[in-house]
Each structure stands twice: as C-alpha cells, then as structure tokens.
Amino acid sequence: DAEALVVPYQNYRATYSEFWQQLTEVAKGLAAYGVKKGDRVGIWSPNRFEWVIIQYATARIGAILVNINPAYKAQELKFALKQSEVSLLIMSKGFRKTNYIEILNEVRSSCVHLKEIVVIDHEWDKLISKGKRITDEEIDELESNLEFDEPINIQYTSGTTGFPKGTTLSHHNILNNGFFIGERLGYSEKDRVVMPVPLYHCFGMVLGNMACTTHGCCMIFTGEAFDPATVLQTVQDEKATSLYGVPAMFIAELNLPNINEYDFSTLRTGIMAGSQCPESTMRDVREKMNMKEVEICYGMTETSPVSTQTFLDD
C-alpha cells in the first residue's frame, strides 16, 4: 500500500499494488498487439508515468525496450528505429515545440520493421482495452519463460563520434546494478526519491527506477523538462529523502534567489552524476540542501551503467 510512483504534473499517484496492476494491464496490451519475447518496443517520450509503466510491462513479457532520446530529430530517430529493428513504437505526440508525429512521418517509410504505433496522448486507453482478452495466466506463462541473462533493454550512448551506439543490456545487468546502487544509498521503503533526470537515460531508469523498486522506495518525477523551482517545490511537497541530478541541475537549484525558503528537512541523500562534480557544488548541496549523504556515481551505458560509487560518509 506504500506509494510506488508519483508524477505531480500529471496528477498521477500509484501504490505498489496499483502500479503492479497497471503494468500487468499494459503487458497484456502489448501481448494483444502481438509483441513477443525478444521483440523490440521503442519508447519515444519525455518523462511521464506511462514511460515507467512501459519499462516494467516490457520486462514482464520479455520484450526488449528501446530507449529513444526525446531530443532526436528525423535522422537520429530513423537510425535508432532501423538499427534496433523496433516493431512497436510507443510515443508522445511531441515535446516542447517538436511535433513527434510529423518527424515520424518523415522516416516511417524506410523503417521496414515498424508495424504498430501507439501515441500515448490519445491511444493509452486503447492499448489497455486491447489487452483485456489476454488472461493473467497467459502473462504468467510468458514471464515464466524468461531468463535473467536475456536482453531486455537497448540504450543509445552519446553520438559525439558519429551516430549513437546501441548498447544491449540484460535483466541482470540493470536489475543488479540498480539493486547495489540502492544498497550503497541505504535505501528502504521509507525513501522517496525525486528525479528530474531523464528516463531514457540510465540515470532515470536504472539509478532511479531499479534502485527504487528493489527497495520499495517511491519514484517521483517532476516534469517533462527540468525546472529548478519545480524540483525544489516537489522535494518540499513530497517530503523527499533523496534527490538526483547532474551538476548543472544542482547549480541551477542552488542559484535560485529563494533557495532558503524551501524545506529540505526530509532530504538526506541523492546522486550527483553525469559529468564532473565540483567540490564546491558538493559542499553547497550538503550544507544548503541538507543532503549530508549525497553520493557520486560514475560509469557508462555499457556497464549498466554504474561502475564506481562513493559511500554515504565520503
């Protein structure tokens, strides 16, 4: 009955039992679309509760989730869809001023594996209703045929040296990595984790979701795009114990003129990662935001991703 997932900007809240029920409904919907173990399901969307449900629903039936960067333009989208052979694409209608449907229409004819598209904004209920003909027993049967070292996720690393590289990760890769991140953070069912970091990246879906669900924590997402004031208001309103961010996010939060008006009394830990973490920023986060046990993680997508992590008392 504890909260599992909270997305205030969508007025969404779910306990663990509700979350399990919803991801089961979506897993049935995917099965009704003909998605089978090993099939690639693309997710092209900024942070929203449906993204998280898709992450766990695909894992439940053995479909390989393909994370697609919300900032991708036509050529990058075409490359990811073709290279990973996505057969079902679940997408938002757009992000900021970008119209995803227009971009997809530009490239769809060359993506020969792409058979079905679900636009979250107006076809989410259709996905769920389509799955009503699938039984619990059928989903349990699909799940029982999965092995821990089978692929479950394809993520694209940065494209600084050409097109992004597709990295294939297994259930064990991301679940194990997330579990040990949560262990090092001292997570328990009492923790509530605010995450303004992107879900399409390991920071959101592994350091965030996997660390949380392996420890019964609450996952809290703040919006489709980063806004420092919204993040700190969410920390206060949701009584967060942990806060994530890249250094630039924490610097933007610390630079808010009314930083001292927020209540940080419940915060104890969090993760700063993604680029070099300045000592001054770490000290400010500890002293001004009450994050006495903030940690730094380093790694790369290919290593699921965290390879090194500081301790709570470092």
Side-chain angles (χ1 to χ4, degrees):
D1 294 324
E3 283 188 325
L5 179 60
V6 174
V7 187
Y9 88 94
Q10 290 182 287
N11 296 313
Y12 175 90
R13 288 179 185 273
T15 64
Y16 266 90
S17 57
E18 290 166 341
F19 181 58
W20 176 255
Q21 179 61 38
Q22 290 170 28
L23 76 88
T24 302
E25 289 174 349
V26 172
K28 289 178 178 180
L30 295 173
Y33 266 95
V35 175
K36 297 180 176 61
K37 175 180 172 178
D39 286 351
R40 276 72 164 182
V41 175
I43 177 76
W44 189 28
S45 167
N47 288 7
R48 49 195 298 171
F49 79 83
E50 295 95 341
W51 206 113
V52 183
I53 292 174
I54 291 292
Q55 178 184 342
Y56 289 84
T58 47
R60 183 101 192 266
I61 63 171
I64 298 173
L65 183 71
V66 180
N67 299 11
I68 300 173
N69 188 330
Y72 273 0
K73 300 295 188 266
Q75 288 306 110
E76 297 159 314
L77 175 68
K78 181 170 79 170
F79 174 79
L81 292 176
K82 289 181 71 172
Q83 202 229 22
S84 60
E85 300 182 357
V86 165
S87 58
L88 170 64
L89 177 63
I90 300 171
M91 58 185 280
S92 294
K93 64 181 181 182
F95 175 47
R96 292 177 171 157
K97 295 179 180 177
T98 303
N99 186 319
Y100 284 179
I101 296 169
E102 286 180 2
I103 293 175
L104 179 65
N105 288 339
E106 281 182 50
V107 304
R108 186 169 184 183
S109 61
S110 60
C111 300
V112 295
H113 297 278
L114 184 59
K115 302 291 189 288
E116 300 275 3
I117 293 164
V118 174
V119 180
I120 297 170
D121 305 80
H122 49 80
E123 293 178 315
W124 186 251
D125 290 340
K126 175 187 167 186
L127 173 66
I128 292 169
S129 62
K130 199 173 171 97
K132 293 192 186 304
R133 62 182 176 83
I134 307 291
T135 65
D136 287 345
E137 289 73 24
E138 288 174 279
I139 292 297
D140 291 342
E141 175 69 18
L142 291 172
E143 189 174 18
S144 69
N145 288 317
L146 307 183
E147 296 291 339
F148 71 88
D149 56 357
E150 290 171 335
I152 201 61
N153 185 214
I154 295 175
Q155 301 206 18
Y156 284 89
T157 64
S158 61
T160 48
T161 54
F163 277 111
K165 299 173 290 297
T167 299
T168 303
L169 303 172
S170 70
H171 295 270
H172 182 247
N173 286 152
I174 61 175
L175 183 61
N176 201 49
N177 204 266
F179 170 75
F180 282 108
I181 292 164
E183 288 291 284
R184 179 70 60 94
L185 287 160
Y187 277 169
S188 75
E189 74 283 356
K190 296 182 176 64
D191 282 294
R192 299 175 63 80
V193 186
V194 167
M195 295 179 274
V197 295
L199 275 163
Y200 81 88
H201 188 276
C202 280
F203 205 166
M205 67 164 286
V206 181
L207 286 75
N209 295 348
M210 286 289 155
C212 286
T213 51
T214 51
H215 291 81
C217 310
C218 179
M219 305 167 278
I220 305 169
F221 290 93
T222 56
E224 289 196 341
F226 172 70
D227 176 71
T230 301
V231 172
L232 297 192
Q233 192 63 50
T234 304
V235 166
Q236 177 176 298
D237 294 346
E238 298 295 335
K239 297 180 168 52
T241 62
S242 178
L243 174 62
Y244 288 8
V246 299
M249 288 178 172
F250 282 109
I251 290 166
E253 290 155 11
L254 289 161
N255 285 340
L256 286 172
N258 62 337
I259 177 76
N260 296 322
E261 294 173 16
Y262 293 99
D263 180 4
F264 298 118
S265 61
T266 57
L267 271 183
R268 69 167 184 88
T269 189
I271 298 174
M272 194 185 299
S275 62
Q276 186 172 347
C277 305
E279 180 184 336
S280 60
T281 307
M282 290 292 289
R283 291 191 184 281
D284 283 347
V285 163
R286 285 169 55 90
E287 290 159 18
K288 296 179 181 177
M289 297 174 70
N290 200 41
M291 293 171 61
K292 300 284 192 270
E293 298 178 339
V294 63
E295 298 186 0
I296 296 173
C297 294
Y298 278 117
M300 55 186 179
T301 307
E302 292 86 343
T303 60
S304 315
V306 173
S307 303
T308 64
Q309 183 174 353
T310 55
F311 287 96
L312 292 175
D313 58 355
D314 283 346

